[in-house]
Amino acid sequence: MAGWSYEDRGTPGDVFEVNSIVVTPDPPEVAKDLLIKVTGQLRQVPDAETYVEITVKLGLIKISRKQQLLSELLEEWGASVPTKTGPFTLELSRTLAKDTPPGKFTIRADGYTGADEDAFCLEFSVDFMTPPT
């Protein structure tokens, strides 16, 4: 696999229903600015305690796991939590670290409301082994 892919692993009752994710550049490149545009439907406004558990694997090895409030995570990516139900668009941007090692990464983001109800579940695969053409 060269490039990237994502899979919505959420359930039909999730707070966020993701319709599409588009990245620029496609595929993502180390040490370059990355723009991620997420569109979907919001079933309920996330509460202030909505959080995300992020797990990063390099191949089969878990290299990172952290839990963070959704509002803080989105702020780091230059976005904010949607404030009304219905269609939403999030535009996230960040420069990818230039010291990212070559490899095939899996990033899983599990979102939960403050009451520990499912908010969303996304899994990304990114291949930094194959240089972009």
Side-chain angles (χ1 to χ4, degrees):
M1 171 193 91
W4 76 281
S5 64
Y6 83 93
E7 185 175 349
D8 184 347
R9 295 192 167 235
T11 62
D14 284 354
V15 172
F16 288 90
E17 176 188 330
V18 174
N19 295 338
S20 70
I21 299 177
V22 177
V23 301
T24 305
D26 186 357
E29 297 179 38
V30 172
K32 300 270 175 112
D33 292 341
L34 176 66
L35 175 64
I36 303 171
K37 185 175 182 178
V38 181
T39 60
Q41 294 288 322
L42 186 62
R43 290 183 179 28
Q44 70 185 52
V45 176
D47 58 42
E49 290 82 35
T50 298
Y51 65 98
V52 183
E53 290 181 354
I54 299 172
T55 304
V56 179
K57 291 182 178 181
L58 178 56
L60 297 174
I61 301 169
K62 187 185 304 182
I63 60 172
S64 172
R65 183 176 176 129
K66 73 176 186 175
Q67 181 175 307
Q68 187 173 15
L69 288 174
L70 177 64
S71 59
E72 292 174 356
L73 177 67
L74 290 178
E75 185 177 309
E76 287 178 8
W77 284 79
S80 57
V81 177
T83 57
K84 62 181 181 176
T85 59
F88 73 88
T89 299
L90 291 173
E91 291 191 3
L92 313 167
S93 63
R94 175 177 249 172
T95 301
L96 295 180
K98 67 178 169 181
D99 60 350
T100 302
K104 294 180 182 178
F105 291 82
T106 303
I107 302 106
R108 183 173 171 121
D110 292 287
Y112 302 96
T113 67
D116 287 328
E117 298 168 334
D118 292 337
F120 63 88
C121 179
L122 295 168
E123 188 167 288
F124 299 87
S125 297
V126 184
D127 182 356
F128 290 120
M129 291 290 289
T130 308
T133 55

